[in-house]
Amino acid sequence: MRFWLFAITFILLATPVLAAVPTQEEPIAVLRALDKMTARVEELDVPINQPLKFGTIMITVRTCRITPPEETPEAAAYLEVGEFKPGEKDTPVFHGWMFASSPALSAMEHPIYDIWVIGCKAAPASPPTK
């Protein structure tokens, strides 16, 4: 009995406490899209809440978050992807978080298209007016 009490106490004391890593939201998600039929690969800059058409799918990014520079690099985006076909109602294909460091963790399952997150970025600075 003492051994188990000692072992449990040791495990609890030796386990590091994981702190929540702060993230910051950026207005543009950088995605890579593959059309498997044509082997076309494109890097897409998708602004938050502005749908973008790629082939027969419509991609909407709801949020894109990155870790600050002093943390381990990571980008994550919440995507909603729907497929549209002429004469049919739009069909949801994917909705959920995608992580740049683990694209297979939450992959979009589609026979023709692959989408994955590359990163997030700030909006381009507008040129100064004279």
Side-chain angles (χ1 to χ4, degrees), residues 50-111:
Q50 293 183 20
L52 177 84
K53 182 181 175 198
F54 180 77
T56 61
I57 60 173
M58 188 70 70
I59 305 162
T60 305
V61 178
R62 295 298 178 193
T63 187
C64 195
R65 306 193 67 79
I66 59 172
T67 54
E70 63 272 6
E71 297 292 335
T72 304
E74 179 61 282
Y78 189 88
L79 304 176
E80 294 176 355
V81 181
E83 184 172 25
F84 57 93
K85 296 177 184 173
E88 294 182 23
K89 189 175 178 181
D90 291 353
T91 307
V93 175
F94 175 86
H95 63 85
W97 286 96
M98 285 189 180
F99 299 90
S101 65
S102 304
L105 181 66
S106 180
M108 181 182 84
E109 307 259 338
H110 193 275

Short mmCIF file of all heavy atoms in Angstrom, two decimals, residues 50-111:
data_model
loop_
_atom_site.label_atom_id
_atom_site.label_comp_id
_atom_site.label_asym_id
_atom_site.label_seq_id
_atom_site.Cartn_x
_atom_site.Cartn_y
_atom_site.Cartn_z
N GLN A 50 -14.42 35.73 -45.44
CA GLN A 50 -14.64 36.05 -46.84
C GLN A 50 -14.46 34.77 -47.65
O GLN A 50 -13.34 34.32 -47.87
CB GLN A 50 -13.68 37.14 -47.32
CG GLN A 50 -13.93 38.47 -46.67
CD GLN A 50 -13.00 39.55 -47.20
OE1 GLN A 50 -12.44 39.44 -48.27
NE2 GLN A 50 -12.84 40.60 -46.42
N PRO A 51 -15.56 34.16 -48.10
CA PRO A 51 -15.47 32.89 -48.83
C PRO A 51 -14.60 33.01 -50.08
O PRO A 51 -14.59 34.03 -50.76
CB PRO A 51 -16.92 32.59 -49.21
CG PRO A 51 -17.75 33.40 -48.27
CD PRO A 51 -16.94 34.62 -47.95
N LEU A 52 -13.86 31.94 -50.35
CA LEU A 52 -12.99 31.87 -51.52
C LEU A 52 -13.29 30.58 -52.27
O LEU A 52 -13.34 29.51 -51.65
CB LEU A 52 -11.52 31.91 -51.11
CG LEU A 52 -10.53 31.78 -52.26
CD1 LEU A 52 -10.31 33.16 -52.89
CD2 LEU A 52 -9.23 31.21 -51.78
N LYS A 53 -13.48 30.68 -53.57
CA LYS A 53 -13.79 29.52 -54.40
C LYS A 53 -12.49 28.91 -54.92
O LYS A 53 -11.62 29.61 -55.41
CB LYS A 53 -14.68 29.93 -55.56
CG LYS A 53 -15.10 28.79 -56.44
CD LYS A 53 -15.96 29.28 -57.58
CE LYS A 53 -16.25 28.12 -58.52
NZ LYS A 53 -16.69 28.55 -59.81
N PHE A 54 -12.38 27.58 -54.79
CA PHE A 54 -11.27 26.83 -55.36
C PHE A 54 -11.90 25.61 -56.04
O PHE A 54 -12.40 24.71 -55.36
CB PHE A 54 -10.27 26.40 -54.29
CG PHE A 54 -9.10 25.62 -54.83
CD1 PHE A 54 -8.07 26.27 -55.49
CD2 PHE A 54 -9.04 24.24 -54.70
CE1 PHE A 54 -7.00 25.56 -56.01
CE2 PHE A 54 -7.98 23.52 -55.21
CZ PHE A 54 -6.95 24.18 -55.87
N GLY A 55 -11.91 25.61 -57.35
CA GLY A 55 -12.59 24.53 -58.07
C GLY A 55 -14.07 24.54 -57.76
O GLY A 55 -14.73 25.56 -57.94
N THR A 56 -14.57 23.42 -57.25
CA THR A 56 -16.00 23.35 -56.91
C THR A 56 -16.24 23.47 -55.40
O THR A 56 -17.34 23.17 -54.94
CB THR A 56 -16.61 22.03 -57.41
OG1 THR A 56 -15.95 20.93 -56.77
CG2 THR A 56 -16.52 21.90 -58.91
N ILE A 57 -15.23 23.87 -54.66
CA ILE A 57 -15.43 24.04 -53.21
C ILE A 57 -15.32 25.51 -52.84
O ILE A 57 -14.66 26.30 -53.51
CB ILE A 57 -14.43 23.19 -52.37
CG1 ILE A 57 -12.99 23.58 -52.67
CG2 ILE A 57 -14.68 21.72 -52.58
CD1 ILE A 57 -11.98 22.90 -51.76
N MET A 58 -16.01 25.85 -51.77
CA MET A 58 -15.99 27.20 -51.22
C MET A 58 -15.38 27.11 -49.83
O MET A 58 -15.87 26.37 -48.98
CB MET A 58 -17.41 27.77 -51.15
CG MET A 58 -17.45 29.23 -50.77
SD MET A 58 -16.83 30.32 -52.06
CE MET A 58 -18.08 30.19 -53.30
N ILE A 59 -14.29 27.87 -49.62
CA ILE A 59 -13.56 27.84 -48.36
C ILE A 59 -13.84 29.13 -47.60
O ILE A 59 -13.66 30.22 -48.14
CB ILE A 59 -12.04 27.74 -48.60
CG1 ILE A 59 -11.73 26.53 -49.49
CG2 ILE A 59 -11.27 27.69 -47.30
CD1 ILE A 59 -10.36 26.59 -50.13
N THR A 60 -14.27 29.00 -46.35
CA THR A 60 -14.47 30.16 -45.48
C THR A 60 -13.66 29.93 -44.22
O THR A 60 -13.82 28.92 -43.54
CB THR A 60 -15.96 30.34 -45.11
OG1 THR A 60 -16.73 30.40 -46.31
CG2 THR A 60 -16.17 31.60 -44.30
N VAL A 61 -12.77 30.88 -43.93
CA VAL A 61 -11.96 30.82 -42.71
C VAL A 61 -12.66 31.67 -41.67
O VAL A 61 -12.95 32.84 -41.91
CB VAL A 61 -10.53 31.32 -42.96
CG1 VAL A 61 -9.72 31.30 -41.68
CG2 VAL A 61 -9.85 30.51 -44.04
N ARG A 62 -12.96 31.09 -40.53
CA ARG A 62 -13.64 31.83 -39.46
C ARG A 62 -12.65 32.50 -38.50
O ARG A 62 -12.93 33.54 -37.95
CB ARG A 62 -14.58 30.92 -38.69
CG ARG A 62 -15.72 30.41 -39.52
CD ARG A 62 -16.58 31.54 -40.02
NE ARG A 62 -17.67 31.03 -40.86
CZ ARG A 62 -18.40 31.80 -41.62
NH1 ARG A 62 -18.19 33.09 -41.68
NH2 ARG A 62 -19.35 31.27 -42.36
N THR A 63 -11.51 31.89 -38.28
CA THR A 63 -10.47 32.50 -37.44
C THR A 63 -9.14 31.87 -37.78
O THR A 63 -9.08 30.72 -38.23
CB THR A 63 -10.78 32.36 -35.93
OG1 THR A 63 -9.82 33.10 -35.19
CG2 THR A 63 -10.74 30.92 -35.49
N CYS A 64 -8.07 32.63 -37.61
CA CYS A 64 -6.72 32.12 -37.83
C CYS A 64 -5.85 32.66 -36.69
O CYS A 64 -5.79 33.86 -36.46
CB CYS A 64 -6.17 32.59 -39.18
SG CYS A 64 -4.71 31.67 -39.71
N ARG A 65 -5.24 31.74 -35.95
CA ARG A 65 -4.50 32.11 -34.75
C ARG A 65 -3.08 31.59 -34.83
O ARG A 65 -2.84 30.48 -35.31
CB ARG A 65 -5.20 31.58 -33.52
CG ARG A 65 -6.68 32.03 -33.46
CD ARG A 65 -7.32 31.80 -32.15
NE ARG A 65 -6.80 32.61 -31.08
CZ ARG A 65 -7.09 33.88 -30.84
NH1 ARG A 65 -7.89 34.52 -31.66
NH2 ARG A 65 -6.57 34.52 -29.82
N ILE A 66 -2.13 32.40 -34.35
CA ILE A 66 -0.73 32.01 -34.30
C ILE A 66 -0.18 32.26 -32.91
O ILE A 66 -0.71 33.06 -32.15
CB ILE A 66 0.13 32.76 -35.34
CG1 ILE A 66 0.07 34.28 -35.13
CG2 ILE A 66 -0.26 32.39 -36.74
CD1 ILE A 66 1.04 35.07 -35.97
N THR A 67 0.89 31.54 -32.59
CA THR A 67 1.55 31.76 -31.31
C THR A 67 2.51 32.94 -31.45
O THR A 67 2.98 33.25 -32.55
CB THR A 67 2.34 30.51 -30.88
OG1 THR A 67 3.22 30.13 -31.94
CG2 THR A 67 1.42 29.36 -30.54
N PRO A 68 2.80 33.61 -30.35
CA PRO A 68 3.75 34.73 -30.41
C PRO A 68 5.15 34.23 -30.77
O PRO A 68 5.46 33.03 -30.60
CB PRO A 68 3.71 35.33 -29.02
CG PRO A 68 2.94 34.39 -28.16
CD PRO A 68 2.24 33.42 -29.03
N PRO A 69 6.03 35.12 -31.23
CA PRO A 69 7.37 34.71 -31.69
C PRO A 69 8.21 34.01 -30.63
O PRO A 69 9.05 33.18 -30.97
CB PRO A 69 8.03 36.03 -32.09
CG PRO A 69 6.92 36.98 -32.30
CD PRO A 69 5.78 36.53 -31.45
N GLU A 70 8.01 34.29 -29.36
CA GLU A 70 8.82 33.67 -28.32
C GLU A 70 8.39 32.24 -27.99
O GLU A 70 9.07 31.53 -27.27
CB GLU A 70 8.85 34.52 -27.05
CG GLU A 70 7.51 34.71 -26.39
CD GLU A 70 6.71 35.90 -26.91
OE1 GLU A 70 7.12 36.55 -27.88
OE2 GLU A 70 5.65 36.16 -26.33
N GLU A 71 7.25 31.79 -28.53
CA GLU A 71 6.75 30.43 -28.30
C GLU A 71 7.10 29.53 -29.49
O GLU A 71 7.54 30.00 -30.53
CB GLU A 71 5.23 30.45 -28.11
CG GLU A 71 4.76 31.23 -26.91
CD GLU A 71 5.13 30.58 -25.59
OE1 GLU A 71 5.33 29.36 -25.54
OE2 GLU A 71 5.23 31.32 -24.60
N THR A 72 6.86 28.24 -29.34
CA THR A 72 7.04 27.30 -30.43
C THR A 72 6.09 27.69 -31.56
O THR A 72 4.91 27.90 -31.32
CB THR A 72 6.72 25.87 -29.96
OG1 THR A 72 7.54 25.57 -28.84
CG2 THR A 72 6.96 24.86 -31.07
N PRO A 73 6.59 27.80 -32.80
CA PRO A 73 5.73 28.25 -33.90
C PRO A 73 4.56 27.30 -34.14
O PRO A 73 4.74 26.09 -34.22
CB PRO A 73 6.66 28.24 -35.11
CG PRO A 73 8.03 28.16 -34.59
CD PRO A 73 7.96 27.54 -33.24
N GLU A 74 3.37 27.88 -34.22
CA GLU A 74 2.16 27.11 -34.52
C GLU A 74 1.12 28.05 -35.09
O GLU A 74 1.02 29.20 -34.69
CB GLU A 74 1.60 26.45 -33.26
CG GLU A 74 0.32 25.65 -33.48
CD GLU A 74 0.46 24.50 -34.45
OE1 GLU A 74 0.46 24.76 -35.68
OE2 GLU A 74 0.56 23.35 -34.01
N ALA A 75 0.38 27.56 -36.06
CA ALA A 75 -0.75 28.29 -36.63
C ALA A 75 -1.92 27.33 -36.70
O ALA A 75 -1.75 26.14 -36.99
CB ALA A 75 -0.40 28.81 -38.03
N ALA A 76 -3.10 27.85 -36.43
CA ALA A 76 -4.32 27.05 -36.48
C ALA A 76 -5.43 27.91 -37.06
O ALA A 76 -5.50 29.11 -36.78
CB ALA A 76 -4.70 26.55 -35.09
N ALA A 77 -6.27 27.30 -37.85
CA ALA A 77 -7.39 28.02 -38.45
C ALA A 77 -8.65 27.17 -38.36
O ALA A 77 -8.58 25.94 -38.47
CB ALA A 77 -7.09 28.36 -39.91
N TYR A 78 -9.77 27.84 -38.14
CA TYR A 78 -11.07 27.16 -38.15
C TYR A 78 -11.66 27.38 -39.54
O TYR A 78 -11.90 28.52 -39.95
CB TYR A 78 -12.00 27.70 -37.07
CG TYR A 78 -13.25 26.86 -36.95
CD1 TYR A 78 -13.27 25.75 -36.11
CD2 TYR A 78 -14.39 27.15 -37.68
CE1 TYR A 78 -14.40 24.96 -36.01
CE2 TYR A 78 -15.53 26.36 -37.59
CZ TYR A 78 -15.52 25.27 -36.75
OH TYR A 78 -16.64 24.47 -36.65
N LEU A 79 -11.88 26.28 -40.27
CA LEU A 79 -12.36 26.36 -41.64
C LEU A 79 -13.74 25.75 -41.79
O LEU A 79 -14.08 24.79 -41.10
CB LEU A 79 -11.43 25.58 -42.58
CG LEU A 79 -9.96 25.94 -42.61
CD1 LEU A 79 -9.22 24.99 -43.52
CD2 LEU A 79 -9.76 27.35 -43.06
N GLU A 80 -14.49 26.31 -42.71
CA GLU A 80 -15.74 25.72 -43.16
C GLU A 80 -15.62 25.57 -44.67
O GLU A 80 -15.34 26.53 -45.37
CB GLU A 80 -16.93 26.62 -42.82
CG GLU A 80 -17.16 26.74 -41.33
CD GLU A 80 -18.27 27.72 -40.98
OE1 GLU A 80 -18.82 28.39 -41.88
OE2 GLU A 80 -18.57 27.82 -39.79
N VAL A 81 -15.78 24.34 -45.16
CA VAL A 81 -15.63 24.07 -46.59
C VAL A 81 -16.91 23.40 -47.08
O VAL A 81 -17.39 22.44 -46.48
CB VAL A 81 -14.41 23.15 -46.86
CG1 VAL A 81 -14.26 22.89 -48.35
CG2 VAL A 81 -13.14 23.75 -46.28
N GLY A 82 -17.43 23.94 -48.15
CA GLY A 82 -18.62 23.37 -48.77
C GLY A 82 -18.38 23.13 -50.25
O GLY A 82 -17.56 23.81 -50.87
N GLU A 83 -19.08 22.16 -50.80
CA GLU A 83 -18.96 21.87 -52.23
C GLU A 83 -20.26 22.26 -52.90
O GLU A 83 -21.33 21.99 -52.39
CB GLU A 83 -18.67 20.39 -52.44
CG GLU A 83 -18.43 20.04 -53.89
CD GLU A 83 -17.95 18.61 -54.07
OE1 GLU A 83 -18.23 17.75 -53.22
OE2 GLU A 83 -17.31 18.36 -55.09
N PHE A 84 -20.12 22.91 -54.04
CA PHE A 84 -21.32 23.29 -54.78
C PHE A 84 -21.28 22.64 -56.16
O PHE A 84 -20.24 22.54 -56.79
CB PHE A 84 -21.46 24.81 -54.89
CG PHE A 84 -20.29 25.49 -55.53
CD1 PHE A 84 -20.27 25.75 -56.89
CD2 PHE A 84 -19.19 25.87 -54.77
CE1 PHE A 84 -19.18 26.37 -57.47
CE2 PHE A 84 -18.12 26.51 -55.35
CZ PHE A 84 -18.10 26.75 -56.71
N LYS A 85 -22.45 22.13 -56.55
CA LYS A 85 -22.61 21.51 -57.86
C LYS A 85 -23.81 22.18 -58.52
O LYS A 85 -24.80 22.47 -57.86
CB LYS A 85 -22.84 20.01 -57.72
CG LYS A 85 -21.67 19.27 -57.12
CD LYS A 85 -21.97 17.81 -56.92
CE LYS A 85 -20.81 17.12 -56.23
NZ LYS A 85 -21.11 15.74 -55.86
N PRO A 86 -23.73 22.44 -59.82
CA PRO A 86 -24.84 23.10 -60.51
C PRO A 86 -26.15 22.33 -60.32
O PRO A 86 -26.20 21.11 -60.47
CB PRO A 86 -24.42 23.09 -61.98
CG PRO A 86 -22.93 22.92 -61.96
CD PRO A 86 -22.62 22.14 -60.71
N GLY A 87 -27.19 23.06 -59.95
CA GLY A 87 -28.50 22.47 -59.79
C GLY A 87 -28.71 21.73 -58.48
O GLY A 87 -29.75 21.13 -58.27
N GLU A 88 -27.71 21.72 -57.60
CA GLU A 88 -27.84 21.04 -56.31
C GLU A 88 -27.57 22.02 -55.17
O GLU A 88 -26.95 23.06 -55.36
CB GLU A 88 -26.83 19.89 -56.21
CG GLU A 88 -27.07 18.76 -57.19
CD GLU A 88 -26.07 17.63 -57.00
OE1 GLU A 88 -25.50 17.49 -55.89
OE2 GLU A 88 -25.85 16.89 -57.97
N LYS A 89 -28.04 21.63 -54.01
CA LYS A 89 -27.79 22.44 -52.81
C LYS A 89 -26.34 22.25 -52.37
O LYS A 89 -25.76 21.17 -52.53
CB LYS A 89 -28.74 21.97 -51.70
CG LYS A 89 -28.75 22.85 -50.50
CD LYS A 89 -29.80 22.37 -49.50
CE LYS A 89 -29.74 23.25 -48.28
NZ LYS A 89 -30.70 22.83 -47.27
N ASP A 90 -25.73 23.31 -51.83
CA ASP A 90 -24.35 23.22 -51.33
C ASP A 90 -24.25 22.12 -50.28
O ASP A 90 -25.11 21.99 -49.42
CB ASP A 90 -23.90 24.54 -50.73
CG ASP A 90 -23.73 25.63 -51.77
OD1 ASP A 90 -23.85 25.32 -52.97
OD2 ASP A 90 -23.48 26.78 -51.40
N THR A 91 -23.17 21.35 -50.35
CA THR A 91 -22.96 20.24 -49.43
C THR A 91 -21.78 20.56 -48.53
O THR A 91 -20.68 20.82 -49.02
CB THR A 91 -22.64 18.95 -50.22
OG1 THR A 91 -23.65 18.74 -51.18
CG2 THR A 91 -22.53 17.76 -49.30
N PRO A 92 -21.96 20.55 -47.20
CA PRO A 92 -20.82 20.75 -46.30
C PRO A 92 -19.83 19.59 -46.44
O PRO A 92 -20.22 18.43 -46.47
CB PRO A 92 -21.42 20.77 -44.90
CG PRO A 92 -22.89 20.88 -45.09
CD PRO A 92 -23.20 20.40 -46.47
N VAL A 93 -18.55 19.92 -46.56
CA VAL A 93 -17.51 18.92 -46.72
C VAL A 93 -16.66 18.82 -45.46
O VAL A 93 -16.27 17.73 -45.05
CB VAL A 93 -16.61 19.27 -47.93
CG1 VAL A 93 -15.44 18.32 -48.06
CG2 VAL A 93 -17.42 19.29 -49.21
N PHE A 94 -16.38 19.96 -44.85
CA PHE A 94 -15.50 19.99 -43.68
C PHE A 94 -15.81 21.22 -42.86
O PHE A 94 -16.08 22.29 -43.40
CB PHE A 94 -14.03 20.02 -44.13
CG PHE A 94 -13.05 20.16 -43.00
CD1 PHE A 94 -12.60 19.04 -42.32
CD2 PHE A 94 -12.58 21.40 -42.60
CE1 PHE A 94 -11.70 19.15 -41.27
CE2 PHE A 94 -11.69 21.52 -41.55
CZ PHE A 94 -11.25 20.40 -40.88
N HIS A 95 -15.72 21.09 -41.55
CA HIS A 95 -15.70 22.24 -40.66
C HIS A 95 -14.93 21.82 -39.42
O HIS A 95 -15.14 20.73 -38.87
CB HIS A 95 -17.10 22.78 -40.32
CG HIS A 95 -17.96 21.81 -39.57
ND1 HIS A 95 -17.91 21.66 -38.22
CD2 HIS A 95 -18.86 20.92 -40.01
CE1 HIS A 95 -18.76 20.73 -37.84
NE2 HIS A 95 -19.36 20.25 -38.92
N GLY A 96 -13.98 22.64 -39.03
CA GLY A 96 -13.18 22.33 -37.86
C GLY A 96 -11.83 23.02 -37.90
O GLY A 96 -11.53 23.80 -38.80
N TRP A 97 -11.03 22.72 -36.89
CA TRP A 97 -9.71 23.31 -36.76
C TRP A 97 -8.70 22.52 -37.58
O TRP A 97 -8.73 21.29 -37.59
CB TRP A 97 -9.27 23.31 -35.30
CG TRP A 97 -9.98 24.32 -34.48
CD1 TRP A 97 -11.09 24.11 -33.71
CD2 TRP A 97 -9.65 25.71 -34.35
NE1 TRP A 97 -11.47 25.28 -33.11
CE2 TRP A 97 -10.61 26.28 -33.48
CE3 TRP A 97 -8.66 26.51 -34.89
CZ2 TRP A 97 -10.57 27.63 -33.13
CZ3 TRP A 97 -8.62 27.85 -34.54
CH2 TRP A 97 -9.58 28.39 -33.67
N MET A 98 -7.81 23.23 -38.23
CA MET A 98 -6.65 22.63 -38.89
C MET A 98 -5.41 23.28 -38.30
O MET A 98 -5.39 24.49 -38.06
CB MET A 98 -6.68 22.87 -40.40
CG MET A 98 -7.65 22.02 -41.14
SD MET A 98 -7.38 22.21 -42.92
CE MET A 98 -8.63 21.12 -43.53
N PHE A 99 -4.38 22.46 -38.09
CA PHE A 99 -3.14 22.93 -37.48
C PHE A 99 -2.00 22.80 -38.48
O PHE A 99 -1.83 21.76 -39.11
CB PHE A 99 -2.82 22.12 -36.22
CG PHE A 99 -3.89 22.24 -35.18
CD1 PHE A 99 -4.96 21.36 -35.16
CD2 PHE A 99 -3.85 23.25 -34.24
CE1 PHE A 99 -5.96 21.48 -34.21
CE2 PHE A 99 -4.84 23.38 -33.29
CZ PHE A 99 -5.91 22.49 -33.28
N ALA A 100 -1.19 23.86 -38.60
CA ALA A 100 -0.09 23.85 -39.56
C ALA A 100 0.94 22.78 -39.23
O ALA A 100 1.48 22.14 -40.14
CB ALA A 100 0.58 25.23 -39.60
N SER A 101 1.21 22.55 -37.96
CA SER A 101 2.23 21.58 -37.59
C SER A 101 1.76 20.13 -37.71
O SER A 101 2.58 19.22 -37.73
CB SER A 101 2.70 21.83 -36.16
OG SER A 101 1.64 21.61 -35.26
N SER A 102 0.45 19.91 -37.79
CA SER A 102 -0.10 18.55 -37.87
C SER A 102 -1.24 18.50 -38.88
O SER A 102 -2.41 18.38 -38.52
CB SER A 102 -0.62 18.10 -36.51
OG SER A 102 0.38 18.19 -35.55
N PRO A 103 -0.94 18.58 -40.17
CA PRO A 103 -2.01 18.62 -41.16
C PRO A 103 -2.88 17.37 -41.18
O PRO A 103 -4.05 17.44 -41.53
CB PRO A 103 -1.30 18.82 -42.50
CG PRO A 103 0.14 18.62 -42.24
CD PRO A 103 0.38 18.69 -40.77
N ALA A 104 -2.34 16.24 -40.79
CA ALA A 104 -3.12 15.00 -40.82
C ALA A 104 -4.02 14.84 -39.60
O ALA A 104 -4.91 14.00 -39.59
CB ALA A 104 -2.20 13.79 -40.92
N LEU A 105 -3.81 15.67 -38.58
CA LEU A 105 -4.60 15.57 -37.36
C LEU A 105 -6.08 15.81 -37.62
O LEU A 105 -6.94 15.11 -37.12
CB LEU A 105 -4.07 16.55 -36.31
CG LEU A 105 -4.77 16.55 -34.97
CD1 LEU A 105 -4.54 15.22 -34.26
CD2 LEU A 105 -4.25 17.69 -34.11
N SER A 106 -6.38 16.81 -38.42
CA SER A 106 -7.77 17.15 -38.73
C SER A 106 -7.84 17.44 -40.23
O SER A 106 -8.00 18.58 -40.64
CB SER A 106 -8.21 18.35 -37.91
OG SER A 106 -9.55 18.69 -38.21
N ALA A 107 -7.70 16.42 -41.03
CA ALA A 107 -7.64 16.59 -42.48
C ALA A 107 -9.03 16.61 -43.10
O ALA A 107 -9.95 16.01 -42.59
CB ALA A 107 -6.83 15.47 -43.10
N MET A 108 -9.13 17.33 -44.22
CA MET A 108 -10.37 17.33 -44.98
C MET A 108 -10.39 16.10 -45.87
O MET A 108 -9.46 15.87 -46.64
CB MET A 108 -10.46 18.60 -45.83
CG MET A 108 -11.73 18.69 -46.62
SD MET A 108 -11.81 20.16 -47.66
CE MET A 108 -10.91 19.62 -49.09
N GLU A 109 -11.43 15.30 -45.76
CA GLU A 109 -11.56 14.09 -46.58
C GLU A 109 -12.39 14.43 -47.81
O GLU A 109 -13.59 14.68 -47.71
CB GLU A 109 -12.27 13.00 -45.76
CG GLU A 109 -11.64 12.74 -44.42
CD GLU A 109 -10.78 11.50 -44.42
OE1 GLU A 109 -10.98 10.65 -45.29
OE2 GLU A 109 -9.90 11.42 -43.56
N HIS A 110 -11.75 14.49 -48.96
CA HIS A 110 -12.44 14.80 -50.20
C HIS A 110 -11.75 14.05 -51.34
O HIS A 110 -10.52 13.99 -51.37
CB HIS A 110 -12.43 16.31 -50.47
CG HIS A 110 -13.37 16.72 -51.54
ND1 HIS A 110 -13.04 16.69 -52.88
CD2 HIS A 110 -14.66 17.17 -51.48
CE1 HIS A 110 -14.08 17.10 -53.59
NE2 HIS A 110 -15.07 17.40 -52.77
N PRO A 111 -12.50 13.48 -52.28
CA PRO A 111 -11.86 12.71 -53.35
C PRO A 111 -11.06 13.55 -54.35
O PRO A 111 -10.16 13.03 -55.00
CB PRO A 111 -13.03 12.00 -54.03
CG PRO A 111 -14.23 12.79 -53.67
CD PRO A 111 -13.94 13.41 -52.33
#
